[in-house]
Amino acid sequence: MTERFRIAIVGSGPAGLSAAGHAAELGVVHVLLESSTAHANTLQKYQKGKHVMAEPAMLPLRSPMSFKEGTREEILGHWESELQKYSVNIRYGATVVAITGSRGAMQLKLGSGDVIEADDVVLGIGLQGNLRKLGVAGEDLPTVQYQLDDPEEYSDETIVVVGAGDAGIENALALAKQNRVIMINRIDEFTRCKDANMNAILAAIKDGRMECRYGTMAEKVEATKGPFPATFVAQTPQGVEAIPCHRVIARLGAMPPRALVESFGIEFPNKDVSAVPRLSERYESNVPGIFIVGALGGCPLIKQAMNQGYEVVEHILGNPVEPADEDLLRAKFKAMPGIASVSDGLNLIQQNVRLFEGLTTLQLREFLLDSTILTPASGTKIFERNDYTNSFFSIVEGQVVVHSTGKDGGRVEVPLGAGEFFGEMGLISGRRRSATIEAAAGCVLIETPRRSMLKLLASVDSVRRELDEVSLKRAVRSYLATGISSTDLDFLVEGAKIRRFVAGEAIFTEGDRADGLHLIRRGSVTVSREIGGRDLVMSYVAAGNYVGEMALLSERPRSATVRAAVATETIFLEAARFTEVVARNSTMRAELDLRFMDRLRANEAMNEHTESGSLISFLMKQGLGEATDVLLIDESLCIRCNNCEKACAD
């Protein structure tokens, strides 16, 4: 049996519902194909009673289908009544297995064998059928689940929740009311969630209503006997931890149904699992007549998806329509001279800033909603050295000047031009600003909050790779060799590896063969030697410095043991490449020799004053391994006036 429609919409998620509702509202002959037995399958699988937020709050809704903040049940109920109100032609149990043909004559083959013809096709399929798994041994045990239907089904259990996005946080908060919940976050902060969820989870952790293991990765899940049917084994900053539990709930997001979509002829820009198809501003794919909206197109937020559903119908009918965020972006671009439209501004950013080349237009628009466009006057300080600010900056036009202090104590000025970025060390190390940045003439910047930038890095592989490559080169230059040529720099970085260590793990051990140099990118380390039968801490080295050069320069075994004081990340430079570059750069060799002699003198002094090493060890045990400032009070002299604490806090 073959039927024909003006528009065939695949998937009844928010985007598909909105598109079908608008088509029905306009009297367009349409069909909405849903593979499951109910509309909005993703929302149907939300936990019972889940509170759904309507974000971005500043974005207007332009769909005939309503949507406002409320419970899962309220929203699904409204949509059910509106499907009937607009007489939406929805078919349940209609699984699309193939799409062929061309615009004006598209054929959709269903799993039942039926064929539907349409002039145009809108893909509004979600991602929930392709949930990410833990990726470790035991991921398919009965005690591991990837959805949570009703938190009230579980009580008096120990439950490990993996995943620090909105879904994981909401599951953890709901379960914590009547269970012991242990949250697993692979980084040391919450960056992939809405602000309200971040505030709620932090408050719950602070109040002791749940636990959180930061910087932690799943290693395996084991079936066990006794009161706990499972053991969740994780790699934490303190080492391996085995957590007995009743169940593991992993909320790790989902991947696009890429094989199916590619079988329709749709192309992805690269092989990254997080890649989304490239779309025109009309949401049209590389296949004429196939349009993509919602999560598959990179817009998982409900309100954005619903707006796209409305807009795509208007585009198909040939009606001019601006995106819902057009006015918001237009206001942002007013700051940029010579920009006549949002489209001009987006094109300029993608042409000038290589970091954003891999973003689709839709992803860039969403990114800019969180960002601010700045046009500072020449001489304006963007931030100063030792500031606690942590936003990220991209240079669209003009230049900035980086003012820093050289190894000889002199002032160093380095220009950065259009297409470059700065402030990345705040993303990586979380430490204070290491230089002062000043705007030059004609400077146009995009300032992005740290959380928004971390979210982008987590979701778009091309952005993460570009930032890593540039930051590696900058780290090598600033930590080690400011004057080496670009050729030598590329040679060093080509063999560089990023290595990660948990707290207490040895980066190298006294007596080891020297295999390379470690630039400390994040975290901190202690340097110790065995003296008089005990391990004596000689020094503490924070991010922004390097260790391991003494053995390379002296061509002797390691003279000390270096351990991560906290979770630490280093850039490892291979010994062969390092020594080759040093051999042909006399200035670099001289700088390293000076550092080598300083280290020797410091070690000799420490040998004579071992109590200093004991103090460093004491401070490390107090959890100060990542501190930049410490208030130390001698209680034998303290008169309890609290003035020093107040001054420190101020």
Side-chain angles (χ1 to χ4, degrees):
M1 183 178 71
T2 301
E3 297 177 273
R4 184 168 186 84
F5 301 91
R6 175 68 181 87
I7 303 175
I9 302 155
V10 184
S12 69
L17 283 173
S18 180
H22 190 41
E25 180 185 40
L26 297 175
V28 175
V29 180
H30 71 283
V31 64
L32 174 58
L33 304 171
E34 171 55 51
S35 61
S36 73
T37 58
H39 64 283
N41 188 46
T42 297
L43 262 76
Q44 299 281 0
K45 291 182 177 178
Y46 280 0
Q47 68 188 40
K48 183 181 177 181
K50 170 181 163 67
H51 187 78
V52 182
M53 289 175 274
E55 294 198 1
M58 70 283 202
L59 197 67
L61 178 70
R62 50 170 43 160
S63 170
M65 308 293 282
S66 63
F67 176 58
K68 61 181 180 180
E69 187 172 319
T71 66
R72 177 198 74 162
E73 290 77 11
E74 290 169 342
I75 292 165
L76 289 172
H78 288 312
W79 287 347
E80 177 66 40
S81 63
E82 286 161 354
L83 283 170
Q84 297 174 21
K85 173 184 175 182
Y86 293 109
S87 299
V88 171
N89 182 23
I90 186 168
R91 307 272 179 91
Y92 294 107
T95 302
V96 176
V97 296
I99 300 177
T100 56
S102 56
R103 173 183 286 139
M106 308 293 293
Q107 290 91 40
L108 296 84
K109 183 179 179 181
L110 305 184
S112 63
D114 292 344
V115 174
I116 285 176
E117 293 183 349
D119 292 348
D120 293 283
V121 175
V122 175
L123 291 183
I125 55 180
L127 311 181
Q128 288 303 303
N130 300 271
L131 294 173
R132 293 178 190 266
K133 294 191 174 183
L134 285 170
V136 299
E139 65 177 7
D140 292 318
L141 286 172
T143 49
V144 179
Q145 60 194 72
Y146 298 92
Q147 291 280 165
L148 176 65
D149 297 325
D150 185 357
E152 294 183 4
E153 290 182 6
Y154 310 106
S155 61
D156 300 320
E157 291 190 351
T158 296
I159 301 174
V160 174
V161 177
V162 185
D166 287 310
I169 289 172
E170 289 162 3
N171 285 179
L173 290 169
L175 290 164
K177 295 174 183 177
Q178 66 278 355
N179 299 279
R180 179 196 177 200
V181 174
I182 301 169
M183 186 82 169
I184 304 296
N185 187 349
R186 64 183 177 83
I187 59 176
D188 53 9
E189 56 191 305
F190 293 92
T191 61
R192 297 185 295 109
C193 59
K194 300 179 182 71
D195 286 346
N197 278 335
M198 180 188 70
N199 294 334
I201 193 77
L202 291 176
I205 294 167
K206 182 180 178 181
D207 295 344
R209 287 179 278 132
M210 72 171 66
E211 304 166 43
C212 184
R213 304 289 191 272
Y214 292 102
T216 295
M217 300 284 286
E219 195 166 275
K220 60 182 175 180
V221 183
E222 298 176 330
T224 52
K225 295 180 179 179
F228 297 101
T231 297
F232 181 83
V233 182
Q235 188 64 250
T236 76
Q238 289 73 40
V240 176
E241 181 181 3
I243 305 173
C245 60
H246 292 89
R247 69 187 67 251
V248 176
I249 299 176
R251 304 308 306 270
L252 306 173
M255 297 176 289
R258 185 160 178 158
L260 175 66
V261 175
E262 286 179 327
S263 75
F264 302 158
I266 293 168
E267 298 173 354
F268 286 74
N270 52 58
K271 294 182 179 180
D272 293 342
V273 293
S274 60
V276 297
R278 285 199 179 280
L279 306 175
S280 73
E281 291 190 1
R282 299 172 63 244
Y283 309 118
E284 192 166 18
S285 71
N286 63 288
V287 179
I290 298 184
F291 298 78
I292 298 176
V293 291
L296 181 60
C299 282
L301 294 179
I302 293 174
K303 190 188 290 187
Q304 289 176 316
M306 294 183 73
N307 283 338
Q308 288 180 0
Y310 171 93
E311 291 160 12
V312 75
V313 171
E314 292 291 322
H315 289 312
I316 288 171
L317 298 178
N319 300 327
V321 59
E322 288 187 336
D325 60 10
E326 192 79 1
D327 286 341
L328 298 172
L329 292 178
R330 191 180 287 122
K332 289 179 181 286
F333 281 120
K334 277 185 178 179
M336 289 180 65
I339 297 299
S341 67
V342 171
S343 181
D344 287 347
L346 296 172
N347 289 335
L348 180 66
I349 290 170
Q350 288 208 294
Q351 288 170 12
N352 284 10
V353 185
R354 181 179 167 185
L355 187 66
F356 303 137
E357 280 181 356
L359 296 183
T360 66
T361 302
L362 300 178
Q363 287 173 323
L364 182 58
R365 295 179 79 102
E366 183 181 358
F367 173 75
L368 289 174
L369 287 177
D370 284 342
S371 303
T372 304
I373 295 175
L374 306 174
T375 54
S378 180
T380 302
K381 285 186 173 62
I382 310 303
F383 56 71
E384 296 196 56
R385 186 174 184 272
N386 287 329
D387 278 357
Y388 282 101
T389 58
N390 57 15
S391 50
F392 179 88
F393 294 85
S394 311
I395 308 173
V396 181
E397 290 185 316
Q399 287 188 334
V400 299
V401 179
V402 182
H403 299 280
S404 59
T405 304
K407 290 182 173 63
D408 59 356
R411 188 174 179 180
V412 177
E413 294 186 357
V414 178
L416 295 177
E420 298 189 85
F421 54 79
F422 58 94
E424 77 279 4
M425 286 307 295
L427 298 177
I428 296 167
S429 69
R431 290 178 176 267
R432 289 182 290 181
R433 302 295 193 184
S434 59
T436 296
I437 307 287
E438 188 176 282
C443 181
V444 177
L445 305 174
I446 300 172
E447 180 179 6
T448 307
R450 183 171 186 269
R451 288 189 69 238
S452 299
M453 195 63 203
L454 288 172
K455 182 180 177 181
L456 182 67
L457 292 173
S459 59
V460 183
D461 287 344
S462 62
V463 176
R464 185 175 63 251
R465 282 197 304 270
E466 175 67 17
L467 188 139
D468 269 347
E469 182 180 330
V470 173
S471 65
L472 280 177
K473 290 182 178 179
R474 286 183 179 172
V476 172
R477 272 202 188 280
S478 62
Y479 296 3
L480 192 65
T482 53
I484 66 171
S485 67
S486 296
T487 302
D488 279 341
L489 181 62
D490 289 341
F491 177 71
L492 268 178
V493 172
E494 185 181 335
K497 297 180 180 66
I498 295 176
R499 293 189 174 176
R500 295 175 178 86
F501 304 89
V502 299
E505 184 178 357
I507 294 171
F508 54 78
T509 305
E510 187 174 352
D512 285 353
R513 179 182 62 85
D515 58 347
L517 181 78
H518 290 266
L519 311 179
I520 306 170
R521 188 185 195 208
R522 185 170 182 266
S524 54
V525 303
T526 58
V527 181
S528 63
R529 293 177 64 188
E530 189 173 324
I531 299 175
R534 67 188 184 100
D535 201 41
L536 178 70
V537 176
M538 313 292 289
S539 60
Y540 164 82
V541 185
N545 296 284
Y546 56 86
V547 290
E549 84 288 355
M550 294 183 74
L552 292 174
L553 294 175
S554 65
E555 298 181 357
R556 293 179 178 176
R558 301 291 192 189
S559 60
T561 295
V562 172
R563 294 185 185 279
V566 293
T568 297
E569 194 173 275
T570 72
I571 302 167
F572 177 73
L573 303 180
E574 297 173 349
R577 289 178 182 265
F578 174 77
T579 53
E580 186 177 330
V581 170
V582 169
R584 55 177 177 255
N585 286 273
S586 57
T587 303
M588 180 180 174
R589 175 75 201 209
E591 290 178 359
L592 288 166
D593 283 343
L594 283 173
R595 179 70 177 269
F596 180 88
M597 295 306 296
D598 287 343
R599 287 257 174 100
L600 279 179
R601 284 191 287 269
N603 288 347
E604 286 302 316
M606 187 63 73
N607 286 338
E608 296 176 8
H609 301 284
T610 57
E611 66 277 3
S612 298
S614 299
L615 176 59
I616 295 174
S617 296
F618 168 77
L619 293 174
M620 295 300 101
K621 289 176 183 177
Q622 307 314 306
L624 301 178
E626 186 63 346
T628 55
D629 300 273
V630 175
L631 173 64
L632 189 62
I633 300 173
D634 185 340
E635 292 192 339
S636 66
L637 301 175
C638 179
I639 61 170
R640 309 298 190 268
C641 67
N642 294 326
N643 286 336
C644 56
E645 289 97 330
K646 184 178 183 303
C648 185
D650 290 342

